[in-house]
Amino acid sequence: MKWTEDHDLTLCGEGLLQEPFKHPRNSKERGEVWGQIALNLNSLASPIFKVSKRSVRDRLTLLQTKYKEEIREEERASGIDCEETQLDAAVEEILDKEKAADMERNEQAGTLTKKHQSEKVSAEEVTRQAMERLGKTQKRKSEMQIQKKENPVKEGSSDVVEYLKEKFIAENA
């Protein structure tokens, strides 16, 4: 079967509808969902499909890989603003939902990686800061400035050189 953009859009729509990523990878349930997607696509009158659950899964994986590569290329190229197609939007939504489902499964299992833990903590911090009132924000910032003054951190060799210059001038004066 030759895949067209209509086929890809229909596949993505069915993938968003059935949500195979809600189940763990290589699980029986996920395989059943892929089978159901293949059956639904094969029963359509337009566009005509002749697919198996493996071909559907492989095609969606290929679309996700191409999309990720496209995004990396756009990020590397400076000043390029590419238009997002319906297919790109659908694949991005699938990737987001898949990532969210993986995170939820990891949280339930209690096996968050360090990276995910730090992302979660930073997201919670941003949310907390966004929700606080202006007075609290100003108070928190002033406390942070006081704390920095009490515990100065050496930022590099230039600070050491400045310190030695001041000490030399004080001793010679």
Side-chain angles (χ1 to χ4, degrees):
M1 185 186 113
K2 184 168 173 68
W3 289 88
T4 65
E5 190 170 344
D6 288 339
H7 287 98
D8 291 339
L9 281 172
T10 307
L11 169 63
C12 288
E14 193 65 30
L16 286 169
L17 186 65
Q18 296 290 329
E19 297 182 335
F21 38 82
K22 280 191 171 181
H23 304 287
R25 296 181 196 279
N26 301 325
S27 67
K28 181 180 177 183
E29 295 86 11
R30 194 167 182 153
E32 290 171 357
V33 173
W34 284 118
Q36 185 62 44
I37 290 172
L39 282 173
N40 292 348
L41 292 175
N42 285 332
S43 66
L44 292 175
S46 175
I48 297 172
F49 282 91
K50 285 188 177 180
V51 292
S52 66
K53 64 181 180 181
R54 174 147 186 173
S55 64
V56 168
R57 186 186 69 219
D58 289 347
R59 181 62 182 184
L60 193 56
T61 303
L62 177 68
L63 290 174
Q64 290 173 338
T65 304
K66 283 183 179 180
Y67 177 76
K68 288 177 186 177
E69 188 176 310
E70 236 176 70
I71 294 299
R72 275 194 298 273
E73 288 294 323
E74 288 176 14
E75 288 174 355
R76 273 191 244 140
S78 61
I80 295 178
D81 186 30
C82 297
E83 292 183 27
E84 189 174 84
T85 63
Q86 281 183 322
L87 183 61
D88 290 342
V91 172
E92 181 179 14
E93 189 173 346
I94 289 171
L95 286 170
D96 290 343
K97 285 188 174 187
E98 189 170 4
K99 185 177 180 181
D102 286 344
M103 289 281 287
E104 186 176 325
R105 257 193 310 282
N106 287 339
E107 282 180 14
Q108 288 174 353
T111 57
L112 284 177
T113 62
K114 289 181 182 179
K115 180 181 176 186
H116 291 341
Q117 285 176 341
S118 65
E119 285 178 1
K120 186 176 178 182
V121 168
S122 65
E124 289 172 354
E125 178 67 20
V126 168
T127 304
R128 187 184 60 77
Q129 288 178 5
M131 298 300 288
E132 69 185 18
R133 292 189 211 133
L134 180 61
K136 281 188 173 182
T137 303
Q138 291 172 344
K139 182 179 176 184
R140 180 177 45 81
K141 286 183 179 179
S142 65
E143 287 173 355
M144 287 174 62
Q145 289 175 347
I146 291 170
Q147 194 176 40
K148 284 182 182 177
K149 289 179 183 176
E150 291 174 357
N151 301 326
V153 178
K154 294 181 181 177
E155 295 180 9
S157 62
S158 61
D159 289 346
V160 174
V161 172
E162 291 295 323
Y163 170 74
L164 291 173
K165 283 181 183 177
E166 291 174 8
K167 184 177 177 183
F168 179 76
I169 292 171
E171 289 176 355
N172 290 335

